[in-house]
């Protein structure tokens, strides 16, 4: 069994970095808060007896050698960046549990055939640049220099932020792993939903990760005086956008599996006595079935254009990023099921509605995930919480899952 107290204490300690007056955590990529968190995690990795380094895209990695140094590595981890005012478990639980797994192995003198690496991926969330999974994209070799032009709200690009962090954007290709170099990727994560809680179970095995698409809608009308312009002749893009957002909710509900979220909105010029000239809003659309998701998206776009014509406003739709659904491999799922059985835990399977770095890693190797119960299903929120006992249960399943993968052929 892993050291439950040590894992919990590290979670609480790391949770102090980037903590806001609200109680939430803001730890965006390539910031001083993220750097402080990386240094803290690196210290844990060294305590665990790992060889520690950062790759060309800033992924923090701790390595435990195997009996066969050239054997494909078993990769395990998550991320330590956060959304704005997020919680302390989303990401860090997976990284710190992975460190705990390897520290426990080293303390017991456990040797494995395959090397094992813990990774804290750079910018999984995408909160700063509205472009996520920078580290995992870099590791699989799909991150391009052209994509580093994405900017944060202050106009700082990913490339500029990387330079400030001491990284060279022109060398991101050096982070890419070759095919066959990774045996499998395993991630422990909080569920961020209520399925496990409803089932009264501490741990679940993930069957697949829903595919997401991020879209930006721009609606342009005409800015006019709020008092002098009669209602019938207005070209108000905000009213049109509000109608579109309501329509998005209705369309997403129809399938029973799709979820759609508008999380960002900007109104220009933003005066209290001015009819807006332009409105921008985001759409996050997800489904475990790409065909269903794409059908819903097409319907949303067609209806948005129809609303635009009816209200005499222009509607532009820009695709920000798209990720396909990914199935978790039988290799990892079976190892996790065996681990649950050994620990006397119910074997319970469920899909992931949230996206994770495994979506990218699936291009490189078999992937799998283990979920830990979330209190009230709350995530991306200061109230995010998983109990000490549930975190330990998940970490113990992770230990035996990784051990099986690293010992085998």
């Amino acid at each position: 069994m892993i050291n439950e107290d040590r894992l919990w204490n590290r979670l609480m300690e790391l949770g102090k970095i980037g903590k806001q007056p609200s109680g939430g955590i803001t730890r965006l990529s390539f910031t001083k808060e993220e750097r402080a968190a990386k240094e803290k995690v690196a210290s844990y990795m060294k305590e665990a007896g790992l060889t520690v380094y950062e790759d060309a895209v800033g992924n923090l990695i701790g390595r435990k050698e195997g009996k066969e140094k050239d054997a494909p590595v078993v990769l395990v981890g998550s991320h330590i960046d956060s959304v704005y005012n997020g919680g302390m478990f989303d990401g860090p639980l997976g990284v710190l549990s992975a460190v705990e797994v390897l520290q426990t192995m080293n303390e017991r003198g456990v040797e494995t055939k395959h090397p094992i690496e813990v990774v804290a991926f750079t910018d999984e969330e995408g909160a700063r640049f509205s472009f996520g999974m920078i580290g995992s994209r870099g590791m699989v070799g799909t991150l391009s220099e052209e994509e580093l032009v994405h900017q944060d709200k202050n106009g700082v690009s990913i490339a500029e932020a990387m330079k400030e962090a001491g990284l060279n954007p022109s060398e991101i290709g050096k982070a890419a792993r070759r095919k066959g170099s990774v045996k499998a990727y395993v991630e422990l994560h909080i569920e961020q939903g209520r399925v496990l809680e409803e089932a009264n179970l501490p741990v679940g095995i993930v069957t697949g990760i829903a595919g997401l698409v991020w879209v930006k809608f721009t609606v342009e009308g005409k800015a006019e005086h709020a008092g002098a312009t009669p209602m019938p002749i207005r070209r108000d893009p905000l009213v049109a956008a509000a109608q579109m957002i309501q329509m998005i909710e209705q369309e997403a509900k129809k399938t029973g599996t799709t979820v759609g979220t508008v999380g960002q909105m900007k109104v220009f010029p933003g005066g209290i006595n001015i009819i807006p000239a332009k409105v921008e809003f985001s759409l996050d659309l997800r489904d475990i079935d790409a065909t269903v998701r794409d059908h819903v998206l097409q319907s949303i776009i067609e209806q948005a254009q129809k609303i635009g014509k009816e209200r005499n406003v222009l509607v532009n739709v820009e695709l920000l990023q798209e990720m396909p659904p990914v199935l978790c491999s039988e290799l990892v799922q079976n190892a996790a099921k065996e681990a649950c059985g050994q620990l006397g835990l119910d074997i319970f399977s469920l899909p992931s509605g949230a996206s994770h770095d495994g979506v990218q890693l699936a291009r490189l190797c078999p992937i799998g995930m283990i979920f830990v119960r979330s209190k009230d299903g709350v995530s991306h929120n200061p109230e995010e919480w998983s109990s000490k006992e549930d975190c330990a249960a998940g970490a113990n399943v992770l230990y035996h899952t990784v051990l099986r993968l690293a010992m085998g052929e």
Side-chain angles (χ1 to χ4, degrees):
M1 307 291 279
I2 58 90
N3 187 320
E4 178 178 327
D5 290 334
R6 181 168 60 199
L7 172 60
W8 188 256
N9 291 338
R10 285 174 174 173
L11 275 165
M12 297 302 105
E13 188 174 32
L14 187 62
K16 296 176 183 177
I17 300 175
K19 195 162 189 177
Q20 305 298 299
S22 64
I25 293 170
T26 300
R27 215 160 45 216
L28 306 183
S29 58
F30 306 117
T31 62
K32 66 180 186 298
E33 290 83 10
E34 189 211 34
R35 172 48 53 191
K38 279 187 173 180
E39 290 174 357
K40 178 63 69 176
V41 173
S43 73
Y44 298 151
M45 289 178 171
K46 290 172 184 176
E47 287 176 28
L50 308 181
T51 303
V52 182
Y53 67 99
E54 285 190 37
D55 67 14
V57 291
N59 293 322
L60 176 65
I61 298 166
R63 181 179 174 94
K64 173 178 163 42
E65 292 294 348
K67 293 178 183 178
E68 298 183 13
K69 291 186 179 182
D70 294 331
V73 68
V74 174
L75 196 64
V76 55
S78 192
H79 62 97
I80 56 173
D81 66 303
S82 77
V83 297
Y84 289 96
N85 201 37
M88 70 167 67
F89 295 88
D90 178 357
L93 175 61
V95 174
L96 297 181
S97 293
V99 174
E100 179 58 36
V101 162
L102 295 196
Q103 187 160 358
T104 300
M105 285 185 185
N106 280 337
E107 289 171 346
R108 293 181 176 178
V110 174
E111 292 186 274
T112 58
K113 173 184 175 180
H114 294 264
I116 307 171
E117 290 184 353
V118 177
V119 58
F121 283 113
T122 298
D123 199 347
E124 187 264 4
E125 294 287 6
R128 181 176 178 184
F129 302 102
S130 295
F131 180 81
M133 302 187 183
I134 293 172
S136 51
R137 290 174 194 268
M139 184 171 285
V140 302
T142 59
L143 183 67
S144 68
E145 285 192 61
E146 290 73 23
E147 290 170 320
L148 303 183
V149 300
H150 288 269
Q151 297 180 342
D152 65 13
K153 62 184 180 182
N154 296 316
V156 178
S157 69
I158 297 173
E160 291 167 340
M162 289 181 72
K163 289 177 183 177
E164 291 175 6
L167 298 169
N168 186 342
S170 65
E171 294 183 350
I172 57 175
K174 293 181 178 180
R177 303 283 182 106
R178 60 176 176 78
K179 285 278 189 179
S181 65
V182 181
K183 179 180 180 180
Y185 170 67
V186 192
E187 179 170 355
L188 179 70
H189 205 282
I190 59 170
E191 182 197 343
Q192 303 176 280
R194 291 190 291 272
V195 175
L196 288 172
E197 189 173 61
E198 291 293 322
N200 194 28
L201 294 173
V203 177
I205 299 167
V206 180
T207 56
I209 304 171
L212 67 79
V213 58
W214 284 0
V215 175
K216 183 173 81 171
F217 286 81
T218 302
V219 188
E220 295 186 72
K222 185 177 182 181
E224 295 182 280
H225 196 287
T229 309
M231 298 299 289
I233 65 171
R234 296 184 177 205
R235 296 176 57 209
D236 189 333
L238 183 54
V239 175
Q243 189 174 341
M244 293 173 197
I245 293 168
Q246 186 176 35
M247 172 269 295
I248 287 169
E249 181 185 47
Q250 293 167 349
E251 289 300 304
K253 283 181 176 179
K254 288 180 179 179
T255 68
T257 56
T258 308
V259 290
T261 304
V262 174
Q264 297 176 333
M265 175 174 277
K266 296 178 181 178
V267 181
F268 304 92
I272 192 171
N273 59 349
I274 306 171
I275 299 168
K278 183 174 73 172
V279 173
E280 296 175 351
F281 67 90
S282 64
L283 169 61
D284 178 317
L285 195 69
R286 308 185 190 213
D287 199 289
I288 199 70
D289 186 321
T291 302
V292 173
R293 181 202 64 191
D294 293 346
H295 177 77
V296 173
L297 177 60
Q298 186 60 37
S299 179
I300 287 171
I301 292 172
E302 289 174 358
Q303 291 190 59
Q305 295 288 0
K306 182 180 177 182
I307 292 169
K309 289 181 180 179
E310 291 172 350
R311 292 193 168 272
N312 196 23
V313 295
L314 298 176
V315 180
N316 182 65
V317 183
E318 178 186 356
L319 178 65
L320 298 178
Q321 70 170 318
E322 179 179 1
M323 287 182 279
V326 169
L327 296 179
C328 292
S329 76
E330 292 295 326
L331 173 71
V332 180
Q333 287 191 68
N334 288 338
K337 288 175 182 178
E338 290 174 10
C340 286
Q342 181 177 347
L343 293 165
L345 295 170
D346 289 349
I347 297 171
F348 185 87
S349 299
L350 72 166
S352 172
S355 195
H356 302 278
D357 285 306
V359 170
Q360 302 297 328
L361 267 293
R363 303 168 185 260
L364 181 67
C365 64
I367 67 109
M369 295 190 70
I370 300 160
F371 272 171
V372 168
R373 174 167 48 191
S374 294
K375 186 178 185 297
D376 298 327
V378 174
S379 184
H380 286 189
N381 183 300
E383 300 302 315
E384 177 181 281
W385 189 260
S386 291
S387 73
K388 181 179 180 180
E389 294 75 18
D390 286 356
C391 290
N396 280 317
V397 173
L398 182 68
Y399 178 92
H400 290 284
T401 301
V402 172
L403 188 60
R404 280 171 169 74
L405 293 169
M407 286 292 196
E409 295 300 324

